[in-house]
Amino acid sequence: MSTQSISWKQAFGLRLREFLQVQQRVVFFGVIICALFAVLTPNAPILFLGACVLVIGNFMHILMVFAARNIGKRDFPWNWALYLPILAAAAALSAFVSVALLHWMQPSAGPYWYLFRASWKIVMVVCMGAGVVSYAVLQLQERLQEKNKLLEQAVAQGAVVIAEQEQELHRALEIQRGLLPKDLPQLRGTELAGAWQPARTVGGDYFDVVQFSETRMGICVGDVSGKGLTAALLMSNLQAAFRAFATAQATPAEVCCKLNTFVSGNVAHDKFITFFYAMLDVEKRTLVYENAGHCPALLLRADGGTEFLRGHGAVLGVIPEWSYVDETLQLRPGDRLFFYTDGVTEAENEASEEFGYERLVRAAASPTTESATATNRRIMDEVASFCKGNFGDDVTLVVLAIR
């Protein structure tokens, strides 16, 4: 009983609050209408106008509630075909009630039917006009609410899709990181360090290191045209192909030739890959390399001299019959090699100025006692500071120090 009593009181309080809100709106509009008539027509029947507004306003509210529950869900024009006769009946009833209220409030105004014949037309017109406008507004509000609901549902669904895509991209990033070498081999008399930073969640840059023996290893850096998921998919194909073709007996030129044939037959015509592959022999201190259209590796000599290993090879995937040629370089203790992608040299600052090769050379110059890892981290920090962390392209940097 106690719960039912509380529920009844809450329901009654809610209905009473709604009724008072309706009366507040009716009185508000009634005051405005009466004030306008009082200003424009000094002898206007203000009492009659107030009675009409009170009656018409309440009848219109009841009619709107009825229409919303029983007629509003019907399609056009059937909703209007049902509503207009009901509105006409409500307007006639409003005329009868308004005149009766006026006759009761001011008996001296004249007989009932005399007052009715004098005022029923204006009451009917006001009722019909207010009813048509109110119902049209109600219909518009319902359509807007439906569209808002559909929009909210679309936004919610879009948020779910975006969240799922972000999760997929993060999983793709984890997979892509797994394709990169986790622990770089450190041959006797060398130090090797690498860093990889995609411009987006995933990227098209790639580097790898393959150890063939205790004295020989292969180092490659690649850059797939474009960015994002498409480039990342091509990068994974490149990684698989390189691992299959890079053997101890295959020279860089031979590997590039096989990769070029593979890429030419498996990528779209508007895609290509730049690639640099070098084989290091620490016992002979030689570097055999081929550059397939990639950024020239930087050789910083112990005496401060610099060389760029440009090569003459074409990018992978454009000219299937291209012949690649090995080039050999003699290394000395204290030399340092920097393999990188164009995300390093083409990083831009706020003035759209690129990091460039000169800054790279200056950043690469360091004491010979500095470790390859420290040099790699310092250069990456300088590039990030230069572009304020806004990398326009994927960034990869591999540093090889000869001790």
Side-chain angles (χ1 to χ4, degrees), residues 304-364:
T306 58
E307 298 178 33
F308 284 100
L309 313 184
R310 302 185 182 281
H312 301 90
V315 297
L316 306 179
V318 176
I319 308 176
E321 63 276 8
W322 187 272
S323 297
Y324 295 89
V325 180
D326 290 319
E327 298 194 33
T328 304
L329 187 69
Q330 190 66 45
L331 300 175
R332 296 186 289 272
D335 290 348
R336 290 177 178 243
L337 281 158
F338 300 85
F339 310 93
Y340 55 93
T341 58
D342 57 6
V344 174
T345 54
E346 294 180 2
E348 294 185 351
N349 59 15
E350 296 176 348
S352 298
E353 183 181 7
E354 293 185 348
F355 190 78
Y357 292 103
E358 293 183 3
R359 286 188 178 84
L360 176 61
V361 172
R362 289 198 298 269

Side-chain angles (χ1 to χ4, degrees), residues 157-171:
Q157 293 174 356
V160 172
V161 171
I162 291 174
E164 292 176 350
Q165 290 177 346
E166 289 179 351
Q167 291 178 356
E168 292 176 357
L169 286 174
H170 284 297
R171 286 194 291 267

Side-chain angles (χ1 to χ4, degrees), residues 28 61 81 107 109 144 173 184 197 207 258 293 298 303-304 315 318-319 330 334 355 380:
F28 174 75
H61 172 71
L144 290 176
L173 176 61
L184 299 181
Q197 173 65 53
F207 79 94
K258 292 178 180 180
L298 170 62
D303 58 6
V315 297
V318 176
I319 308 176
Q330 190 66 45
F355 190 78
M380 290 292 289

Side-chain angles (χ1 to χ4, degrees), residues 126-206:
V126 171
C127 257
M128 293 296 292
V132 169
V133 172
S134 299
Y135 188 64
V137 171
L138 180 64
Q139 291 285 295
L140 181 60
Q141 289 177 340
E142 290 179 350
R143 291 193 185 96
L144 290 176
Q145 289 175 355
E146 291 177 359
K147 290 183 178 180
N148 287 337
K149 289 181 180 179
L150 293 175
L151 182 60
E152 290 175 357
Q153 293 174 357
V155 171
Q157 293 174 356
V160 172
V161 171
I162 291 174
E164 292 176 350
Q165 290 177 346
E166 289 179 351
Q167 291 178 356
E168 292 176 357
L169 286 174
H170 284 297
R171 286 194 291 267
L173 176 61
E174 294 175 0
I175 294 173
Q176 191 172 26
R177 287 189 184 277
L179 298 177
L180 301 174
K182 296 178 178 63
D183 298 314
L184 299 181
Q186 306 293 331
L187 301 185
R188 178 177 50 84
T190 67
E191 282 186 51
L192 189 63
W196 175 78
Q197 173 65 53
R200 301 178 183 175
T201 306
V202 292
D205 277 11
Y206 167 67

